[in-house]
Structure formats: structure tokens, C-alpha cells
Amino acid sequence: MAINNIPELLCPAGDLVRLKTAVDYGADAVYLAGEEFGMRTAASNFGEEDLQQGVAYAHAHGVKVHVACNTIPHNEELPRLPAFLQMLDRLGVDAIIAADLGTVEAVKTYAPRCDLHISVQAGICNYAAANAFFRLGAKRIVLARELSLAEIAEIRAKTPKELELEVFAHGAMCVSYSARCLLSSYMTGRDANRGDCAQPCRWSYSLMEETRPGRYFDITETEKGTYILNANDLCMAAHLDKLAACGVNSLKIEGRAKSQYYVAVTANAYRGALDSLRDNQPWHLPDWAAEELNKISHRPYSTGFYFGDPQHAQTYESAGYMRDYAVAATVDGYENGCIVATLKNKFSRGQLLDCLEPKCQPFLLRAEQLFDQDDRPIDVAPRPMMTVKIPFSRPIPPGAMLRMKQ
């Protein structure tokens, strides 16, 4: 029996380049932020001109644009909010994501043509809160990350079908409650609830006894101290059928501060996985999609709270990432039987490359021959941003990525 409810794939866009990548690699919708009021100051974010271009590009490909306006603003920011919302409304943004009740009211007043989505920052954990936001005009709610599949299913059963449910499916987690955290503000003065988190939950900690100042004791057996607040990354790719069965409408990939490569891989893998849900049951995650999600920079994966109390949810030895693959080159086109690409990392003739094409399963190719931009044979491509040419039997579309294992 096939699954009829295929959730939307919602991908991050930290800037215009990553927006286009998300669209090309299979997103149904993208989410981003302007230069204010968004929860990721580390991302490049969008000025008005880039946002206009991004909305035009996404809409031309049938992809929606959601703008995060989900900080908890302070008084001095509020006078700038109406003009910002009016700009989003004028540019044709599909939805605005808000958490603060004052911002919610402002969205309805100054951006009436945009759908209202309620951010995970609101901490919606039950159907009463969901229904309350629906009565306030919400088209969609982003459910708290602390919910189990059973709790989500109950919320779906006890809310109007017109109210869309969005959940996180993949990406970084932090020690917080639905992304609300005061640790960064307390330790560094950088307010996580205004998009400026210093990520102190990723730092290494030791124990110091009160009467022995300056003497630090490891909390674990390692020599590095312990990363007692360090959460593993979320990955629900193998359980998309269960999320769909709960009745969720949208699956969100975290990562507006992540690289273009991360956006391409996650969008492509989850696009392929979601499309495979249409196949006959029992469903399982395609092997290639599972392999892809291990080719990006990530911490150990967990399934968060979806199956009750988190299992394997933290790593205490390190906050580092697993990085097994690097982008060798990005494809610009195809000429005279050769892939034409821009070099990102040095590689040599004979290198086995892993090709990531938009909306396709990846495949391997070996650079048996290598040429520079003047068609001269070379043994090594040494300089980033140089043009390289690789003979190949068929065209590879612009935007594809050639990877190599490190």
C-alpha cells in the first residue's frame, strides 16, 4: 500500500546561492531570513535585492519562500518591524514565520497577503496551543522538537485539517527547549533568542572544586574534559514513513548557516527518499540516500525525541564533525565531450570522483584525463577557481558537484 500523504520538503537558504541550490536539488519550499529579525546571524541572510531575486527564482520553479521573523524582539527593534514586513508582503513572500505574539499581530497587519507560520520558538507541545494559534490566524505551526510521534499524531487528530504541521527532520540540535536558550546570553552576552548564539553548548567543560580554584578535574575519562551539553544531530531519514503517517505536512531541514554543499546533499537525499514513499510498502530508506547523509559534515546522528526519551542523543568526548568528503569541483557546463568545472580542492589525474547531480542518484567517475582551460593536458589541478576539463560520455548539468573522499 502506498503512502498518499507526502510531506513538503522545506530546505534552508542562508543566501541567494544556497536558495538556488535548494531549489535545483529538490526543495518544495525554502526558508530564509532578512538582515534583521531572523534566528541565524551567522548566515549571510538576504537584503531586499537578493530576496527579490530569490523569490522570483523559487516561484519560477514552483517553490515557496518562507521568511523567518522569529526572534524575540526588544523594544528598540519594534519601530523597524512594520517596514520590514511590508517589504516581504510587497515582494510576494509566501509565508512569514513568527514566535513573538507582538510580531504575530504585526504580520497580520502589515503583511496580510503572507501566510502566518508559528515558529518552533513558540514551543507548541499540545493541541490546545495549536488550536489557539489557529484561531489567531496561523496557517501552519512548527511543532516543538521535544514531541514524540504519538504526541504529534494526537495533535493532528485534534486540530483542524486546515492547520498545517511542520516538524524538523534533519540537522543540528542544541541543549535548549524548542531552541529557546539563555546559556549564550549568560556566558557571552550574545542573545540566542535574537539569532546571535555563541554555541557554548559545544564547548569543552571540566569540573572545579570550590576550595581548589584553578584546579580542573575531568568529568569523563578522556584527557579533553567532557562536552556535557553537546547534542548529536537529528536524522529522521529512515523514518519518513512514520512521520508521514502522523499527518505532518512539512519536513524541515535545519541549516541556514550550513554550506551550499550541505544544502545540495540534504535536499537531494530527502527528495529521493520522499519520492520513494510513493512506492509500495513496506518502505525503507533507499541505500543511496542513507549513504549521502554520511557524506556531509555532521555530528553523530540520533532520532531526537520522536521515539520517546532520546537514545544516543549526546556525545561527550567531542563536539567535532565527521568530514569524509570534500567538493573537488563544481560543474559549469559541457563542451566538446568534456565536463567543464571550477576547481574547489586540489586533485590529480586518475582521481575517482563522486558526481552529485540535482535530483539524481550520485555516481562515480574517474578523471582518466585532465585538461586546463586551454585544453592542455595536466597531471594535477592545483589552484582553486581554475577551470578544469574532464572527458565524459554525456553532459553533466551546471550546478552538479564533483566530490572526492578524504
Side-chain angles (χ1 to χ4, degrees):
M1 179 180 176
I3 293 176
N4 295 319
N5 171 47
I6 307 299
E8 166 194 86
L9 176 59
L10 177 58
C11 295
D15 58 19
L16 186 57
V17 169
R18 283 172 276 182
L19 179 149
K20 292 180 177 179
T21 298
V23 170
D24 293 346
Y25 276 85
D28 296 307
V30 295
Y31 68 101
L32 52 89
E35 294 171 340
E36 274 196 292
F37 307 111
M39 286 293 294
R40 290 291 184 275
T41 56
S44 300
N45 296 321
F46 285 72
E48 182 172 351
E49 183 177 344
D50 278 357
L51 183 56
Q52 184 174 13
Q53 292 183 44
V55 170
Y57 189 85
H59 287 178
H61 292 80
V63 173
K64 292 184 177 182
V65 177
H66 305 169
V67 175
C69 192
N70 58 343
T71 57
I72 308 301
H74 287 208
N75 289 335
E76 58 89 14
E77 298 169 278
L78 290 180
R80 300 190 295 275
L81 183 59
F84 178 72
L85 295 174
Q86 287 170 333
M87 181 262 291
L88 299 182
D89 197 60
R90 184 176 67 252
L91 294 181
V93 164
D94 296 283
I96 297 174
I97 309 163
D100 172 72
L101 284 175
T103 304
V104 166
E105 284 207 337
V107 170
K108 292 159 62 178
T109 301
Y110 297 106
R113 291 179 292 185
C114 300
D115 288 341
L116 172 62
H117 292 184
I118 304 302
S119 171
V120 69
Q121 290 279 108
I124 301 171
C125 288
N126 59 69
Y127 57 82
N131 285 319
F133 277 112
F134 180 70
R135 290 191 295 270
L136 286 173
K139 174 73 178 297
R140 174 183 296 187
I141 56 173
V142 187
L143 291 174
R145 299 181 312 183
E146 295 76 24
L147 294 177
S148 68
L149 291 170
E151 290 173 304
I152 294 170
E154 185 175 5
I155 290 172
R156 176 72 289 167
K158 294 180 178 179
T159 54
K161 66 178 186 302
E162 294 83 7
L163 179 64
E164 297 176 358
L165 305 184
E166 179 180 307
V167 298
F168 282 88
H170 192 95
M173 302 277 277
C174 62
V175 173
S176 66
Y177 193 87
S178 291
R180 293 180 295 179
C181 183
L182 295 174
L183 189 62
S184 180
S185 297
Y186 177 73
M187 298 186 72
T188 71
R190 290 172 52 179
D191 191 345
N193 298 305
R194 298 169 82 190
D196 199 26
C197 184
Q199 296 195 358
C201 60
R202 307 297 182 192
W203 300 350
S204 175
Y205 291 90
S206 294
L207 180 70
M208 187 178 71
E209 202 275 323
E210 180 178 11
T211 64
R212 295 171 175 81
R215 291 186 62 187
Y216 295 91
F217 302 89
D218 290 342
I219 300 173
T220 68
E221 296 181 1
T222 72
E223 296 178 356
K224 300 177 183 178
T226 182
Y227 294 79
I228 55 175
L229 303 176
N230 181 53
N232 289 342
D233 286 358
L234 176 68
C235 181
M236 282 293 287
H239 307 286
L240 298 183
D241 56 337
K242 299 178 183 67
L243 288 170
C246 289
V248 300
N249 301 94
S250 181
L251 302 179
K252 175 176 279 185
I253 308 297
E254 182 277 336
R256 280 194 288 122
K258 299 288 181 68
S259 68
Q260 179 190 10
Y261 173 63
Y262 171 95
V263 173
V265 172
T266 52
N268 199 61
Y270 276 87
R271 176 77 277 143
L274 284 169
D275 288 347
S276 74
L277 278 177
R278 303 181 192 278
D279 299 339
N280 291 331
Q281 302 303 299
W283 176 84
H284 71 276
L285 178 67
D287 290 341
W288 71 267
E291 292 169 6
E292 282 296 287
L293 296 173
N294 286 315
K295 294 178 182 178
I296 53 176
S297 179
H298 66 282
R299 300 181 184 90
Y301 286 133
S302 81
T303 54
F305 292 83
Y306 283 111
F307 295 97
D309 291 337
Q311 301 293 318
H312 312 294
Q314 288 182 269
T315 297
Y316 302 108
E317 293 79 18
S318 168
Y321 289 92
M322 303 175 184
R323 294 183 175 93
D324 295 331
Y325 280 77
V327 177
T330 56
V331 175
D332 300 316
Y334 186 80
E335 296 176 1
N336 302 319
C338 287
I339 298 169
V340 181
T342 298
L343 189 74
K344 298 299 182 182
N345 286 287
K346 175 181 175 181
F347 69 94
S348 304
R349 181 168 59 86
Q351 175 76 50
L352 184 64
L353 299 173
D354 187 336
C355 183
L356 175 65
E357 286 186 90
K359 302 179 186 177
C360 294
Q361 293 186 32
F363 64 92
L364 299 177
L365 67 91
R366 192 174 294 278
E368 301 287 3
Q369 295 176 286
L370 198 58
F371 299 92
D372 66 13
Q373 63 182 11
D374 298 316
D375 297 323
R376 294 175 298 202
I378 55 175
D379 290 326
V380 179
R383 300 186 310 277
M385 303 310 293
M386 72 177 287
T387 297
V388 293
K389 298 181 180 180
I390 305 168
F392 194 64
S393 58
R394 66 170 177 86
I396 302 296
M401 300 181 184
L402 303 177
R403 305 173 287 190
M404 56 187 177
K405 192 167 186 179
Q406 299 187 105

